[in-house]
Amino acid sequence: MIDFFHKGAAMTKRISGIAKIKGAPEVKSRPLRKISRIGIFQDEEDDVASILLEVADTPDARQHGLMGRKSLPSVCGMLFEGLSGGGYFWMKNCLIPLDIAFMDKDGSITKICSMKADDGEEHYEYDENVASAVETAKGFFKRNGIKEGFKLKTRKLGKGDDNVNGTS
């Protein structure tokens, strides 16, 4: 996406989804956000809320997660794919509190936890039936009335959008 802003006769453009006006103060750069999916939480009948998702689908990406982030927009989160055999999440090097929902292979939420930024002291366990998880800004699930039993459906963003069942 290219955004243009006009200030007097000077016009600048920046390809990144965010435009910069000449003379505006520099904003400290943040890690590149690779939003590649939209997630839609559903109860038994309706879509309840949607969220833009970065995907952590490799061991390295899952291990790094949202470490070092100073903020997370309320409409964004991270989808962790490829979980199996049980395990746990922790908040080592996480600077902001987060919520997490664990889902089975069908995308049904089995557990929701609020996680505090505590440098990894607490562990948030999941069992062998969990296939994926979504981390969000603290309060996302409560604000949207999302509970255990709700489902997450995801759709890839970009050219050739495909509907994806569950979180596959």
Side-chain angles (χ1 to χ4, degrees), residues 53-163:
L53 296 167
E54 297 177 53
V55 179
D57 55 359
T58 66
D60 187 54
R62 285 190 293 271
Q63 183 177 9
H64 190 265
L66 293 170
M67 286 182 187
R69 303 277 177 96
K70 293 181 181 176
S71 65
L72 182 65
S74 62
V75 296
C76 296
M78 181 170 279
L79 172 63
F80 293 82
E81 293 185 319
L83 305 179
S84 64
Y88 60 89
F89 277 68
W90 62 353
M91 295 288 285
K92 186 164 181 68
N93 299 322
C94 287
L95 307 175
I96 55 174
L98 300 168
D99 285 349
I100 189 166
F102 296 101
M103 280 104 25
D104 64 18
K105 63 181 172 65
D106 296 323
S108 293
I109 297 174
T110 60
K111 182 178 174 181
I112 297 175
C113 299
S114 286
M115 304 185 299
K116 60 183 179 179
D118 66 5
D119 206 29
E121 295 171 20
E122 297 222 16
H123 295 99
Y124 304 90
E125 294 184 41
Y126 61 90
D127 65 30
E128 65 278 351
N129 296 321
V130 169
S132 60
V134 171
E135 285 184 337
T136 66
K138 184 175 175 70
F140 175 85
F141 298 112
K142 185 175 184 178
R143 229 179 4 264
N144 290 290
I146 298 168
K147 302 174 182 163
E148 291 178 13
F150 283 38
K151 282 194 171 196
L152 173 68
K153 300 280 186 178
T154 66
R155 190 185 80 213
K156 294 178 184 178
L157 296 177
K159 188 176 180 179
D161 286 351
D162 293 323
N163 284 328

